[in-house]
Amino acid sequence: MPSAHPGHTPAPASAALFARAQAVVPGGVNSPVRAFRSVGGTPRFVARAAGAYLIDADGREYVDLIGSWGPMILGHAHPEVLAAVAQAAARGFSYGTPSENEVALAEEIVARVEPVEQVRLVSSGTEATMSALRLARGITGRSRVVKFAGCYHGHVDALLASAGSGVATFGLPDSAGVPPSAAAETIVLPYNDIAALEAAFAADGEHIAAVITEAAPGNMGVVPPLPGFTEAVRRITRAHGSLLISDEVMTGFRCSRSGWYGLEGPYAAGAPDLFTFGKVMGGGFPAAAFGGPAALMAWLAPDGPVYQAGTLSGNPVATAAGLATLQACTPQVYRHLDTVAAAIAEAAGAELGKAGVPHTIQWAGSMFSIFFADGPVANYDAAKRTSAPAYAAFFHSLLDQGVHLPPSAFEAWFVSAAHDDRAVDRVVAALPAAARAAADSCATIGP
Ligand SMILES: *Cc1c(COP(=O)(O)O)cnc(C)c1O
């Protein structure tokens, strides 16, 4: 793959670390998308990060548009968060008994998301969705779950199914090691397709414990719900006694102070039953949560029969980071994110337009992504039809110029409170050459 992008700036220190990593870590990475497989080339090993910038092992600085895939909403090493972390760490790293930070973080979340009365803290978004699913199954006594193709809910066995296109279909696992029995209880439907959801519930409604959906999907690129879709999901699940789990791990406290719910809710058909959170609420540390009305959360141990636990759940350092992050996410921060995202997206759209590259920019609050195809993109099948080579060329041109996009065409671009005029100007200055690189790659592969 690297030879496909001859313009690469060499990154010898990263390349050496990557070679070392590949000997002792599968694929050289601890999460697959970091390996650059879909764009080719050598992943940059980051030595440190500050504000809007990543600095790699070769000492090169990049404007960071990954933001750790969402958490770094304030930018890297934000002074207030750093102070909170240092103070918490000085008081010990983990107790295995309750502590005040856990309560304060739960209170902050509950205060921000109106339908959520209680949360249980966990350590990753995967744990949050896995636990919410178990809770929904425990409450309803049903086993099936509906998910939408292209929505990612972490690497939970039952949710690693994306399956066939266009029609309601029983899930086939997307990963080796997921037994067909685990995925067989998962029904995968096309996103934004109310008729498919109605048909699945007409056929199977009394067995469906829950529908889980990204509140506004950001893991197939950004594909927001069409007007009325979330309402319809709520209406249909309620009519069949199934729960609705709104996965706000990515959108929570990012799209607005109350996440996607704060932008689109409240819903006439009622609020989602359970919510999952992660990313921003951990401030870059392992903290996540699931929550809902107290009457539903009472099903959890120790009050109820649904077991759920964690040695590091509510970790004092992670909760201090999360709490300090949320407290610093003021209305000005959200306005700033909107402004910066708009500036970058508009400039990218203009340059891609000038270069004649087909593209579509889609939004969920300040989260956006650029599909290299004509839009709109309303579901996973449409997202998959976009041009991967054009994205790879665009990505590498920007990387060479000191701008680090997510190394995948199917990810949102994340900005932060630390993205100031200097950072935005650097991105904007790099865009014309990147757009031309994307155009050249379109030309070489033909229409
Ligand atoms: C990132 C993400 C997850 C998984 O969170 P991890 O902390 O990576 O386990 C779940 N759901 C959504 C919507 C996500 O974006």
Side-chain angles (χ1 to χ4, degrees):
M1 281 295 280
S3 58
H5 306 288
H8 289 183
T9 306
S14 283
L17 284 167
F18 195 38
R20 237 175 92 193
Q22 280 169 304
V24 289
V25 178
V29 292
N30 286 307
S31 199
V33 73
R34 295 179 197 167
F36 273 33
R37 291 285 163 87
S38 68
V39 292
T42 305
R44 299 306 190 259
F45 278 63
V46 170
R48 65 193 175 86
Y53 300 94
L54 301 173
I55 296 94
D56 75 8
D58 291 288
R60 295 191 70 217
E61 184 184 81
Y62 303 86
V63 180
D64 179 18
L65 294 176
I66 306 177
S68 185
W69 308 87
M72 306 320 301
I73 192 166
L74 299 174
H76 295 284
H78 185 276
E80 282 160 40
V81 182
L82 188 57
V85 166
Q87 269 175 27
R91 292 193 295 260
F93 307 155
S94 183
Y95 311 135
T97 66
S99 63
E100 184 176 348
N101 271 349
E102 303 167 55
V103 186
L105 181 56
E107 286 169 345
E108 179 73 31
I109 293 170
V110 165
R112 282 172 170 250
V113 189
E114 189 271 326
V116 175
E117 294 172 349
Q118 294 193 340
V119 290
R120 172 63 58 81
L121 299 182
V122 293
S123 299
S124 71
T126 295
E127 263 187 276
T129 61
M130 180 185 79
S131 306
L133 201 57
R134 183 181 306 143
L135 180 57
R137 285 169 162 163
I139 292 169
T140 59
R142 303 173 179 182
S143 49
R144 287 192 187 151
V145 56
V146 172
K147 79 171 287 283
F148 297 108
C151 283
Y152 178 67
H153 304 291
H155 60 98
V156 181
D157 275 359
L159 299 177
L160 271 184
S162 157
S165 54
V167 282
T169 173
F170 282 96
L172 294 172
D174 261 355
S175 165
V178 176
S181 57
E185 301 286 8
T186 306
I187 301 167
V188 182
L189 299 177
Y191 191 65
N192 273 325
D193 187 338
I194 298 171
L197 189 66
E198 273 172 342
F201 270 89
D204 214 28
E206 83 249 45
H207 301 296
I208 297 173
V211 172
I212 185 167
T213 182
E214 285 190 58
N219 284 293
M220 50 177 144
V222 174
V223 178
L226 294 174
F229 182 69
T230 313
E231 283 280 3
V233 178
R234 176 66 290 189
R235 176 176 50 76
I236 294 164
T237 46
R238 188 148 277 178
H240 290 268
S242 303
L243 301 188
L244 172 56
I245 304 170
S246 182
D247 183 352
E248 293 237 28
V249 170
M250 183 180 283
T251 51
F253 321 110
R254 160 68 64 174
C255 291
S256 79
R257 75 184 295 283
S258 315
W260 181 255
Y261 183 82
L263 291 183
E264 202 190 30
Y267 303 102
D273 299 291
L274 298 174
F275 289 74
T276 55
F277 305 109
K279 298 198 166 99
V280 167
M281 64 154 282
F285 283 76
F290 62 104
L296 297 184
M297 297 302 282
W299 282 74
L300 283 175
D303 286 342
V306 178
Y307 191 70
Q308 191 281 328
T311 302
L312 297 179
S313 293
N315 173 271
V317 183
T319 49
L323 184 62
T325 296
L326 291 183
Q327 285 170 342
C329 283
T330 58
Q332 300 90 284
V333 164
Y334 290 108
R335 277 198 298 276
H336 181 78
L337 299 179
D338 290 342
T339 308
V340 169
I344 292 174
E346 271 166 31
E351 293 303 335
L352 289 167
K354 264 192 247 167
V357 179
H359 65 281
T360 307
I361 305 178
Q362 295 194 167
W363 293 90
S366 63
M367 268 166 49
F368 69 101
S369 66
I370 301 183
F371 293 101
F372 286 84
D374 293 322
V377 175
N379 58 40
Y380 191 39
D381 279 343
K384 283 191 295 194
R385 285 195 291 268
T386 63
S387 171
Y391 185 80
F394 187 74
F395 169 89
H396 273 293
S397 172
L398 287 177
L399 193 70
D400 283 346
Q401 299 177 80
V403 176
H404 206 320
L405 289 183
S408 159
F410 300 112
E411 300 293 346
W413 301 17
F414 292 103
V415 297
S416 81
H419 284 68
D420 56 7
D421 288 347
R422 172 176 172 258
V424 173
D425 289 348
R426 273 179 54 176
V427 177
V428 170
L431 285 166
R436 285 194 299 275
D440 290 347
S441 90
C442 292
T444 45
I445 59 167

